[in-house]
Amino acid sequence: MKLTMLYSFLKADIEEVEKELSQAIHSDTELLKDASLHLLQAGGKRIRPVFVLLAAKTGQYDIHRVKNAAVALELIHMASLVHDDVIDNADMRRGRTTIQAEWNNQIAMYTGDYMFARALNYMTVIQNPSAHKILSDAIVELCIGEIAQIQDKYRFNQSTRDYFRRIKRKTALLIAVSCQLGAVAGNASADIQRRLYRFGYYVGMAYQITDDILDFTSTEKELGKPAGGDLLQGNITLPVFYAMENPEISSRIKKVHEEMPGEDLKQIIDDILKTDAIKRSSAISQRYLRKALDQLDEIPQSKAKKSLRDIALFIGKRKY
Amino acid sequence: MKLTMLYSFLKADIEEVEKELSQAIHSDTELLKDASLHLLQAGGKRIRPVFVLLAAKTGQYDIHRVKNAAVALELIHMASLVHDDVIDNADMRRGRTTIQAEWNNQIAMYTGDYMFARALNYMTVIQNPSAHKILSDAIVELCIGEIAQIQDKYRFNQSTRDYFRRIKRKTALLIAVSCQLGAVAGNASADIQRRLYRFGYYVGMAYQITDDILDFTSTEKELGKPAGGDLLQGNITLPVFYAMENPEISSRIKKVHEEMPGEDLKQIIDDILKTDAIKRSSAISQRYLRKALDQLDEIPQSKAKKSLRDIALFIGKRKY
């Protein structure tokens, strides 16, 4: 089962968004175009545009209007990825070299800025003042989340509360806003806008927790980067908190540092996998997914609603 | 004569903007607050907010409304400075250590992103859809200008056309947009909006050319950073183009590289100062200023108009 099958009726519209994305990052400045295209062509699930379109379907759907919000959300996501890779000093992303590996940190920074600005450009087509407020509030939180993540690196005495707040800012809010702005672009009722926001938020939380689980349970081939990379970077995710309840494993985890040899890291990953950390993390993820599905209850039946439900369920089961 | 004396009747309103700026960058995230405050407290001319307020005075002036645009423009300017310092690997800015020197590149990048996002936040208070389009278009150009500047570094065979396009994107557009958005926030007529945009554009061009001249003619104490820094970084400014018309000086300039000893650089600066490069650059700057003043002709007499005129004249004479 592939994710794209869950919204196959949107195929033509997703292609429209994809075409618009290429146009969005087109620039006469060769270097900028190359760097942006490099990232765009690496692909990605385009899950934010999908949420925008599906949410818009709950109102008056006009692809020529709503695609602008879809492009904006994907560009902001891509901009944040580019800036993330600078922070993480990442060489690979989605199985390809990163912009900062291919060019350098400076180019990566401005390419991110450029994508970010182009996103705002696209949002102006949705002539709705609250849309800008929603989006800029989310971006502010996104930045705070990024800084918090830097501050929290290798800080092993933090709490799961720090973790949940971090993934809310880093991931869940932008998915929440994707759903909300889709509903706004489709002129759906305020009630539906709110429900879809919460749906996106819960799905986003579940999505990120799953991502953090997969960083331990997937192979390098599946991830497009080495397993355990988050931990190696000092990014303490949900399974780590649970595994650290075991004092022995905790003391070993606390020794993790960026230059740790791959074999030592592998040993620690094996330790974590032997605990109930993955199972408990999955249970939390499932709880968020149930909350997400609850939000859909009061929304009228439709193909789009079914897709939103199926995607949530899919995220609960995804293996990579 | 101090610049601030030219708009002393705005003193209370500028203080209001300054207060709002502090609030704008307030964050519960300690690191983010510290980094942003570090830059804010370094001061600066706040010339963009001044242009916003003065332009708004040509319409219906309401400080509680227009201050949001003023804060937004200054934040975008500050964000671009932070990102600039990362590119330039600058240690000093406005006589203080830079964020990237005090913390690191990553913090500087996200602090810039954060200020940028907060700026958008503030713009949403001006409920005018075209305001967002004006601003995001300018930011896109700003990013393209930044990337172009990286590409053009140490590229000694570029033309003055490249230079003018670069400073348009890097400096003039944001000042043009400051004037334009001030007029928009004050609901001034479309004609006045256009005239003030052009006024800002021409002033911005003159301002940047003067800045580029001062990089050669000022002392380290006046600049808050070593003289000739632009050239050392490979940033080819207007006086350099003119000086390079002398083949001997040209061949010496072409040897400039980032690690060049200070004494060698000083020799090259002296060479440039011996040519007519500064005089010719000043003449171009003056020509832009005259064009700026022409734009004010059709705008009704007022204190604000007098200030705009005086500031333009001041920029033509400024020594640091």
Side-chain angles (χ1 to χ4, degrees), chain B residues 13-32:
Chain B
D13 290 359
I14 297 284
E15 278 168 15
E16 184 75 26
V17 170
E18 199 68 33
K19 217 170 68 192
E20 198 66 49
L21 270 172
S22 304
Q23 280 172 26
I25 58 162
H26 179 82
S27 164
D28 293 335
T29 307
E30 210 63 30
L31 181 57
L32 196 48

Side-chain angles (χ1 to χ4, degrees), chain B residues 25-55:
Chain B
I25 58 162
H26 179 82
S27 164
D28 293 335
T29 307
E30 210 63 30
L31 181 57
L32 196 48
K33 195 183 67 189
D34 292 349
S36 306
L37 260 182
H38 182 81
L39 184 67
L40 189 68
Q41 287 168 348
K45 297 178 212 70
R46 308 282 190 252
I47 196 74
R48 288 154 198 83
V50 168
F51 280 130
V52 174
L53 300 191
L54 289 172

Side-chain angles (χ1 to χ4, degrees), chain B residues 155-210:
Chain B
R155 205 164 64 71
F156 291 102
N157 64 343
Q158 63 186 280
S159 71
T160 51
R161 212 174 134 255
D162 296 311
Y163 168 77
F164 288 120
R165 198 171 46 189
R166 213 160 53 223
I167 67 170
K168 174 185 170 182
R169 285 170 161 159
K170 257 196 63 119
T171 306
L173 273 180
L174 207 57
I175 295 181
V177 161
S178 299
C179 295
Q180 185 183 16
L181 287 177
V184 168
N187 294 319
S189 72
D191 181 62
I192 288 189
Q193 288 178 23
R194 259 193 308 275
R195 285 179 196 279
L196 287 175
Y197 171 89
R198 286 197 295 256
F199 168 81
Y201 166 71
Y202 290 131
V203 165
M205 294 296 282
Y207 184 85
Q208 187 58 54
I209 294 170
T210 309

